[in-house]
């Protein structure tokens, strides 16, 4: 069971002088999946990730990473891009990459080769011998991303990897993440960009106010979170739209939205439509966007969070 | 271990390659040499005419004595009588000779003489001429008594014979070597321990420490850092020692050959430290550096900015300053109970025991004991500093209080 999980958190709790950053969090990240850790600012994402990385020790609960390997080997199988990203400003790009790979056990020669390939791929090949301080923030971020994968980790932990990147580079990074996924790597990343999470993640966990509020496969969550709205566009008679299932009709742009009674089955409506002879172009049970789910579960909550005061 | 090695390597190369290091290691000694050598060379360097002095003897008997003393100092000397003064004056005006020196009976009793020149000579040459006059006067007065005037003028000599026992005082050159050596130790240890603190602080403030600590343990990072910076310190010291050695072994003879007038310089070779000095220096440098570097690493780990670190390093600063303040007293009475006790305190040993050992005042058992105590202290300091480092390195926010520090020691 443990083997199927890249990361497992059991009842993990972390308190900082008087306020609870993470509250009895359970989490299971299956191997080989792309897992999104979502939540509003200050919800405990970064603290959770730091505990996963062993940088912070949980006050309660247990973190299991890639089974039960000893710490040193485990570290060498994990790539980590923290939220607050720093570099040695005076070092040269290639030097820094080789160094960061070496402290994870990659021989210098191997590290240099891989770093060169990655710099080419991310269009930084002309910058290998420049100092980090000469690079723009976005370029530094790409260098940092490269540094997380040079030791070919099994698990990649990325804390807000896309923030600060332009759309082109975001897309490059997304493509790389998807490619890793195909090669069997587990990717855990946190974000508050819901579009990104929707595109990339198979599983998400939504945390708000230090607690988990949603967790599971994105598809299932979306089905579960369906609001009972059917979008219909058609030509012909419209009398079939009304029925016992339908609470009300709303005319949207290019489509009519039928808001159904709770638990009502939309099949009957479609049957009536076909029978009425109307030309139906679209009949779709609308799935909520992750963005809406996020707002529904976290948005209302955040406003009620009292300001955290540290004593 | 590859990880620790990588940290050492990075720390070493980044520093050794920096412009600052090259300047401090090569530039500073070079500047010192140039700053001391150039005036000496300039002062002693002169045209043949400049080095020619006419001695105008009004007394009628002291002239030849002065002339001979001046010749020993490298001058070309002509003797002239009082009647020639007008002619000699014109020769000085035309630049044919450097100047003329008027000596009379006053020179014999007070070492007083008058030098007539176009431009006032350098202080260095004035001193040489003055000494020649004094020496001539004394040799004249003491002629036939067998007095070695040159030896007396050089300051005589005090030979010290110690009756075997537990150490004694310090003789003259050892005193100087002990003092200078301790002071250099203080500067180098402080310089590099503070460099460790800065390095810790830099990683903390620019946040790279989070990436690094996801790859290695805090103690590995601290160890690698201290070893790397220490290696830079040793490199710098080695360059200085080799450069200094080369200067004395090659530069000095060459200089003396070129300028025999600088004969006094040869005397400094007698006061130079020997191999035991360097052995003690190395041992006490390593001991002191590791102890203070670990302390400074802990200070760096618990602060968030240079400004905060300035304040937080105060207690450590006292530990390293106290022995330097006590140094003069210890050297003056190296075997008083107070000196022995102070020099055995592990934080002070690198400076005080070093001074006593180099001066030949400390018996061997005390030196050995201080080394053992330093090693034990080092282990303790590393344990404490490692824990403070472990917790502090990721802390942001306000600097911890002493009570919080104690909690960290339990927690880590």
């Amino acid at each position: 069971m443990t083997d199927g999980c890249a990361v497992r958190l059991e009842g993990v709790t972390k308190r900082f002088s008087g306020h609870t950053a993470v509250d009895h969090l359970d989490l299971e990240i299956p191997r080989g999946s792309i897992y999104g850790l979502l939540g509003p600012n200050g919800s405990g994402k970064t603290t959770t990730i730091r505990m996963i990385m062993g940088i912070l020790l949980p006050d309660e609960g247990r973190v299991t990473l890639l089974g039960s390997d000893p710490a040193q080997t485990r570290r060498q199988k994990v790539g980590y891009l923290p939220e607050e990203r720093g570099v040695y400003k005076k070092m040269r790009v290639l030097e820094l990459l080789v160094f960061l790979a070496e402290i994870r056990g990659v021989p210098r020669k191997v590290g240099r080769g891989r770093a060169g390939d990655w710099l080419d791929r991310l269009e930084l090949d002309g910058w290998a011998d420049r100092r980090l301080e000469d690079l723009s923030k976005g370029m530094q971020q790409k260098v940092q991303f490269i540094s997380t994968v040079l030791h070919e980790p099994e698990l990649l932990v990325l804390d807000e990897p896309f923030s600060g990147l332009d759309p082109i580079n975001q897309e490059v990074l997304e493509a790389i993440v998807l490619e890793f996924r195909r090669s069997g790597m587990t990717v855990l990343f946190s974000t508050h960009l819901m579009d990104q999470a929707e595109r990339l993640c198979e599983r998400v966990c939504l945390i708000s106010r230090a607690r988990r509020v949603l967790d599971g496969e994105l598809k299932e969550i979306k089905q579960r979170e369906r609001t009972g709205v059917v979008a219909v566009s058609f030509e012909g008679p419209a009398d079939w739209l009304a029925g016992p299932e339908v609470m009300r009709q709303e005319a949207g742009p290019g489509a009519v939205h039928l808001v159904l009674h709770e638990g009502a089955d939309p099949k009957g409506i479609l049957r009536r439509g076909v029978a009425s002879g109307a030309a139906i172009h679209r009949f779709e049970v609308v799935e909520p966007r992750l963005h809406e789910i996020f707002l529904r579960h976290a948005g209302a909550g955040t406003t009620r969070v009292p300001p955290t005061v540290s004593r | 271990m590859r990880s620790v090695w990588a940290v050492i390597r990075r720390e070493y190369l980044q520093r050794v390659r920096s412009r600052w290091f090259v300047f401090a290691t090569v530039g500073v000694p070079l500047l010192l040499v140039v700053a001391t050598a150039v005036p000496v060379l300039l002062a002693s360097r002169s045209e043949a005419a400049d080095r020619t002095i006419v001695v105008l003897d009004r007394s009628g008997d002291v002239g030849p004595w002065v002339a001979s003393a001046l010749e020993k100092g490298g001058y070309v000397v002509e003797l002239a009588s009082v009647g020639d003064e007008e002619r000699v004056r014109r020769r000085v005006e035309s630049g044919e000779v450097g100047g003329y020196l008027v000596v009379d009976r006053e020179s014999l009793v007070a070492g007083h003489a008058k030098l007539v020149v176009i431009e006032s000579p350098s202080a260095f040459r004035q001193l040489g001429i003055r000494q020649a006059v004094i020496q001539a006067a004394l040799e004249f007065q003491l002629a036939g008594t067998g007095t070695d005037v040159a030896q007396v003028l050089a300051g005589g000599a005090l030979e010290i014979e110690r009756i075997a026992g537990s150490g004694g005082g310090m003789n003259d050159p050892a005193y100087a070597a002990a003092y200078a050596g301790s002071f250099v130790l203080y500067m180098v240890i402080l310089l590099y321990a503070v460099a460790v603190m800065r390095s810790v602080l830099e990683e903390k403030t620019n946040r790279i420490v989070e990436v690094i600590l996801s790859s290695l343990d805090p103690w590995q990072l601290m160890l690698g850092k201290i070893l790397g910076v220490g290696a830079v310190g040793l490199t710098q010291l080695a360059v200085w020692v080799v450069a200094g050695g080369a200067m004395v072994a090659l530069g000095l003879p060459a200089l003396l050959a070129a300028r025999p007038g600088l004969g006094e310089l040869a005397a400094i070779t007698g006061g130079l430290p020997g191999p035991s000095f360097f052995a003690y220096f190395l041992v006490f440098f390593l001991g002191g550096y590791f102890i203070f570097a670990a302390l400074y690493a802990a200070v760096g780990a618990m602060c968030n900015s240079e400004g905060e670190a300035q304040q937080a390093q105060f207690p450590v600063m006292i530990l390293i300053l106290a022995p330097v303040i006590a140094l003069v007293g210890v050297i003056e009475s190296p075997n008083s109970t107070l000196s022995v006790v102070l020099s055995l305190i592990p934080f002070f040993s690198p400076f005080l025991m070093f001074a006593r050992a180099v001066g030949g005042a400390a018996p061997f058992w005390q030196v050995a004991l201080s080394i053992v105590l330093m090693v034990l202290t080092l282990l303790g300091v590393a344990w404490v500093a490692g824990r403070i480092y472990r917790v502090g390195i990721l802390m942001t926010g306000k600097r911890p209080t002493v009570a919080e520090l104690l909690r960290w020691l339990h927690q880590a």
Side-chain angles (χ1 to χ4, degrees), chain B residues 381-399:
Chain B
V381 165
W383 186 85
V384 171
R387 278 165 180 248
I388 291 178
Y389 191 86
R390 168 97 182 77
V391 185
I393 192 72
L394 288 164
M395 286 275 165
T396 48
K398 77 174 178 52
R399 188 146 54 85

Short mmCIF file of all heavy atoms in Angstrom, two decimals, chain B residues 381-399:
data_model
loop_
_atom_site.label_atom_id
_atom_site.label_comp_id
_atom_site.label_asym_id
_atom_site.label_seq_id
_atom_site.Cartn_x
_atom_site.Cartn_y
_atom_site.Cartn_z
N VAL B 381 31.15 23.06 21.37
CA VAL B 381 30.68 24.21 20.60
C VAL B 381 29.99 23.73 19.32
O VAL B 381 28.93 24.24 18.94
CB VAL B 381 31.86 25.14 20.26
CG1 VAL B 381 31.47 26.12 19.16
CG2 VAL B 381 32.29 25.91 21.49
N ALA B 382 30.57 22.72 18.68
CA ALA B 382 29.98 22.21 17.44
C ALA B 382 28.59 21.65 17.71
O ALA B 382 27.66 21.84 16.94
CB ALA B 382 30.88 21.14 16.84
N TRP B 383 28.45 20.97 18.87
CA TRP B 383 27.15 20.40 19.23
C TRP B 383 26.11 21.50 19.41
O TRP B 383 25.03 21.47 18.82
CB TRP B 383 27.30 19.58 20.51
CG TRP B 383 26.08 18.82 20.90
CD1 TRP B 383 25.71 17.58 20.45
CD2 TRP B 383 25.06 19.24 21.81
NE1 TRP B 383 24.52 17.22 21.02
CE2 TRP B 383 24.10 18.21 21.86
CE3 TRP B 383 24.87 20.39 22.58
CZ2 TRP B 383 22.96 18.30 22.66
CZ3 TRP B 383 23.74 20.48 23.37
CH2 TRP B 383 22.79 19.43 23.41
N VAL B 384 26.47 22.50 20.20
CA VAL B 384 25.54 23.60 20.47
C VAL B 384 25.25 24.38 19.18
O VAL B 384 24.10 24.61 18.81
CB VAL B 384 26.11 24.55 21.54
CG1 VAL B 384 25.26 25.81 21.65
CG2 VAL B 384 26.21 23.84 22.87
N ALA B 385 26.31 24.76 18.49
CA ALA B 385 26.15 25.58 17.29
C ALA B 385 25.34 24.82 16.24
O ALA B 385 24.48 25.39 15.57
CB ALA B 385 27.50 25.97 16.73
N GLY B 386 25.59 23.52 16.12
CA GLY B 386 24.87 22.71 15.16
C GLY B 386 23.37 22.73 15.41
O GLY B 386 22.58 22.82 14.50
N ARG B 387 23.01 22.69 16.68
CA ARG B 387 21.58 22.70 17.02
C ARG B 387 20.95 24.06 16.76
O ARG B 387 19.85 24.16 16.22
CB ARG B 387 21.38 22.29 18.47
CG ARG B 387 21.42 20.81 18.54
CD ARG B 387 21.59 20.23 19.89
NE ARG B 387 21.59 18.79 19.66
CZ ARG B 387 20.61 17.99 20.07
NH1 ARG B 387 19.61 18.47 20.78
NH2 ARG B 387 20.66 16.72 19.80
N ILE B 388 21.67 25.09 17.18
CA ILE B 388 21.14 26.44 16.93
C ILE B 388 21.00 26.63 15.42
O ILE B 388 20.00 27.15 14.93
CB ILE B 388 22.08 27.50 17.54
CG1 ILE B 388 22.03 27.43 19.05
CG2 ILE B 388 21.68 28.89 17.06
CD1 ILE B 388 22.94 28.40 19.75
N TYR B 389 22.01 26.16 14.71
CA TYR B 389 22.01 26.29 13.26
C TYR B 389 20.81 25.56 12.66
O TYR B 389 20.08 26.09 11.84
CB TYR B 389 23.32 25.70 12.74
CG TYR B 389 23.61 25.98 11.29
CD1 TYR B 389 24.24 27.15 10.92
CD2 TYR B 389 23.27 25.06 10.32
CE1 TYR B 389 24.53 27.41 9.60
CE2 TYR B 389 23.55 25.31 8.99
CZ TYR B 389 24.18 26.47 8.64
OH TYR B 389 24.45 26.72 7.33
N ARG B 390 20.61 24.33 13.11
CA ARG B 390 19.54 23.48 12.58
C ARG B 390 18.17 24.16 12.66
O ARG B 390 17.40 24.14 11.72
CB ARG B 390 19.51 22.17 13.39
CG ARG B 390 18.29 21.30 13.19
CD ARG B 390 18.61 20.22 12.18
NE ARG B 390 17.47 19.37 11.89
CZ ARG B 390 16.45 19.71 11.11
NH1 ARG B 390 16.40 20.92 10.58
NH2 ARG B 390 15.48 18.86 10.84
N VAL B 391 17.90 24.77 13.81
CA VAL B 391 16.59 25.40 13.99
C VAL B 391 16.59 26.80 13.38
O VAL B 391 15.65 27.21 12.71
CB VAL B 391 16.22 25.48 15.48
CG1 VAL B 391 14.82 26.03 15.63
CG2 VAL B 391 16.32 24.10 16.11
N GLY B 392 17.69 27.52 13.62
CA GLY B 392 17.71 28.93 13.25
C GLY B 392 17.73 29.19 11.77
O GLY B 392 17.15 30.16 11.29
N ILE B 393 18.37 28.30 11.03
CA ILE B 393 18.64 28.59 9.63
C ILE B 393 17.36 28.80 8.82
O ILE B 393 17.36 29.52 7.83
CB ILE B 393 19.50 27.45 9.01
CG1 ILE B 393 20.03 27.84 7.66
CG2 ILE B 393 18.74 26.15 8.92
CD1 ILE B 393 21.12 28.85 7.69
N LEU B 394 16.24 28.21 9.28
CA LEU B 394 15.00 28.38 8.53
C LEU B 394 14.03 29.35 9.19
O LEU B 394 12.95 29.59 8.71
CB LEU B 394 14.32 27.03 8.34
CG LEU B 394 15.03 26.14 7.34
CD1 LEU B 394 14.58 24.72 7.46
CD2 LEU B 394 14.84 26.67 5.95
N MET B 395 14.46 29.88 10.34
CA MET B 395 13.59 30.81 11.06
C MET B 395 13.66 32.17 10.41
O MET B 395 14.71 32.65 10.06
CB MET B 395 14.08 30.96 12.50
CG MET B 395 13.78 29.77 13.36
SD MET B 395 12.13 29.91 14.02
CE MET B 395 11.90 28.24 14.57
N THR B 396 12.50 32.78 10.30
CA THR B 396 12.53 34.19 9.94
C THR B 396 11.73 34.89 11.02
O THR B 396 11.12 34.25 11.86
CB THR B 396 11.88 34.43 8.57
OG1 THR B 396 10.64 33.75 8.54
CG2 THR B 396 12.76 33.89 7.46
N GLY B 397 11.77 36.21 10.98
CA GLY B 397 11.08 36.91 12.05
C GLY B 397 12.08 37.40 13.06
O GLY B 397 13.26 37.57 12.75
N LYS B 398 11.65 37.56 14.28
CA LYS B 398 12.54 38.24 15.22
C LYS B 398 13.62 37.30 15.74
O LYS B 398 13.48 36.08 15.71
CB LYS B 398 11.74 38.83 16.37
CG LYS B 398 11.29 37.84 17.41
CD LYS B 398 10.64 38.60 18.55
CE LYS B 398 10.12 37.66 19.62
NZ LYS B 398 11.06 36.70 20.14
N ARG B 399 14.70 37.93 16.16
CA ARG B 399 15.84 37.20 16.68
C ARG B 399 15.44 36.50 17.98
O ARG B 399 14.70 37.06 18.78
CB ARG B 399 16.98 38.18 16.95
CG ARG B 399 18.28 37.55 17.30
CD ARG B 399 19.43 38.38 16.74
NE ARG B 399 19.38 39.77 17.14
CZ ARG B 399 19.88 40.22 18.29
NH1 ARG B 399 20.43 39.39 19.13
NH2 ARG B 399 19.84 41.49 18.58
#
